[in-house]
């Protein structure tokens, strides 16, 4: 048992180092692009700012543009794995919420980087389009995972990542999983944007869970705001 634990700890350390290097490259790229424009930032400049070689850069990213749009290519699979492993008593919506909340836990710590990244995308439409294509592929994979969770023996198709160039297989996925996957992605985006605009006093986890509370309730119109009611429509607890 001790040997297994040590091996797992070693593998975990290696993975954390890889994640740290990838994050350093992504952050360096975003900061340089925010100042000079993505088109004017070279792989060499990004690598130098992150303290690694250009050869190391290409161990993590296939191209110059990938460093901006693929900050963490494994996040989708981690979310899907968490949904697959979620307790059976959780509703699909709750399983998706918990899986996404775990991945978004560090949003507050990287507020500046995510804000700069949004500005870079605004100035580089080709990056925005590329990011949108990747998002749509991830959304389709999430919908497939939700479908398999709801009906393991159904026709949700294989729970694998097809990639941006994969054939369109949306016809194999029922309406509810497709809708939930799309709504969950929008909910995360709205929560992040709302937190950017209103923090403090609310923390990002509070806003994120408020968004899903609205979804769970079926999106009824919130009660009229009163003096003891926060601006987002949540009631205060006694």
């Amino acid at each position: 048992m001790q040997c297994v634990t040590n091996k797992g700890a070693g593998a975990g350390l290696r993975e954390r180092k890889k994640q740290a290097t990838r994050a350093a490259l992504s952050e360096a790229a975003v900061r340089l692009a925010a100042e000079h424009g993505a088109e004017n930032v070279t792989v060499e400049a990004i690598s130098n700012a992150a303290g690694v070689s250009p050869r190391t850069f290409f161990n993590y990213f296939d191209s110059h543009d990938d460093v901006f749009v693929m900050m963490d290519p494994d996040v989708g699979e981690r979310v899907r794995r968490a949904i697959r492993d979620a307790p059976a008593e959780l509703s699909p919506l709750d399983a998706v919420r918990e899986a996404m909340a775990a991945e978004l836990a560090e949003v507050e710590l990287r507020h500046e980087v995510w804000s700069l990244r949004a500005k870079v995308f605004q100035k580089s439409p080709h990056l925005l389009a590329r990011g949108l294509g990747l998002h749509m592929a991830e959304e389709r994979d999430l919908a497939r995972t939700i479908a398999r969770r709801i009906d393991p023996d159904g026709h949700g198709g294989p729970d694998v990542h097809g990639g941006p160039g994969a054939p369109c297989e949306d016809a194999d996925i029922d309406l509810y999983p497709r809708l939930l996957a799309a709504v969950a992605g929008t909910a995360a985006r709205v929560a992040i944007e709302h937190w950017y605009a209103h923090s403090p006093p609310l923390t990002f986890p509070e806003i994120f869970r408020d968004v899903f509370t609205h979804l769970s309730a079926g999106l009824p119109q919130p009660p009229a705001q009163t003096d003891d009611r926060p601006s987002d429509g949540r009631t205060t607890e006694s």
Side-chain angles (χ1 to χ4, degrees), residues 57-100:
F57 176 96
F58 288 108
N59 287 337
Y60 291 88
F61 303 99
D62 291 335
S63 71
H64 167 275
D65 287 355
D66 283 349
V67 73
F68 300 103
V69 299
M70 299 182 66
M71 296 180 72
D72 187 350
D74 298 325
V75 63
E77 173 52 32
R78 290 198 299 269
V79 168
R80 294 191 295 272
R81 184 185 308 119
I83 292 172
R84 291 193 295 267
D85 295 342
E89 61 270 18
L90 285 185
S91 69
L93 179 63
D94 288 342
V96 171
R97 180 197 64 207
E98 294 304 313
M100 296 183 71

Side-chain angles (χ1 to χ4, degrees), residues 15-160:
E15 185 60 31
R16 287 194 296 273
K17 288 182 176 179
K18 290 174 59 179
Q19 291 176 355
T21 300
R22 177 182 289 278
L25 285 165
S26 295
E27 182 170 342
V30 166
R31 291 187 182 280
L32 288 170
E35 182 176 357
H36 305 290
E39 296 78 6
N40 301 317
V41 176
T42 65
V43 168
E44 289 74 16
I46 296 170
S47 303
N48 184 63
V52 301
S53 68
R55 181 176 180 178
T56 298
F57 176 96
F58 288 108
N59 287 337
Y60 291 88
F61 303 99
D62 291 335
S63 71
H64 167 275
D65 287 355
D66 283 349
V67 73
F68 300 103
V69 299
M70 299 182 66
M71 296 180 72
D72 187 350
D74 298 325
V75 63
E77 173 52 32
R78 290 198 299 269
V79 168
R80 294 191 295 272
R81 184 185 308 119
I83 292 172
R84 291 193 295 267
D85 295 342
E89 61 270 18
L90 285 185
S91 69
L93 179 63
D94 288 342
V96 171
R97 180 197 64 207
E98 294 304 313
M100 296 183 71
E103 287 299 324
L104 293 170
E106 296 185 358
V107 163
E108 289 179 300
L109 300 179
R110 305 194 70 188
H111 181 187
E112 182 186 7
V113 175
W114 282 98
S115 180
L116 289 175
R117 183 173 181 253
K119 294 178 181 178
V120 169
F121 274 28
Q122 290 175 358
K123 295 179 180 179
S124 301
H126 75 285
L127 293 179
L128 183 61
R130 182 174 172 82
L132 179 60
L134 292 171
H135 172 76
M136 292 177 65
E138 289 287 353
E139 183 181 295
R140 182 179 63 244
D141 293 339
L142 177 59
R144 197 174 300 284
T145 297
I146 295 169
R148 297 291 289 180
R149 176 180 172 84
I150 294 172
D151 184 7
D153 300 320
H155 301 288
D159 186 13
V160 296

Side-chain angles (χ1 to χ4, degrees), residues 178-209:
R178 292 175 59 187
L179 179 61
L180 177 51
V183 168
T186 299
R189 176 180 59 79
V190 169
I192 291 173
E193 292 175 351
H194 189 78
W195 178 70
Y196 281 168
H198 295 85
S199 64
L202 297 177
T203 67
F204 175 74
E206 287 177 322
I207 294 174
F208 180 80
R209 293 190 179 277

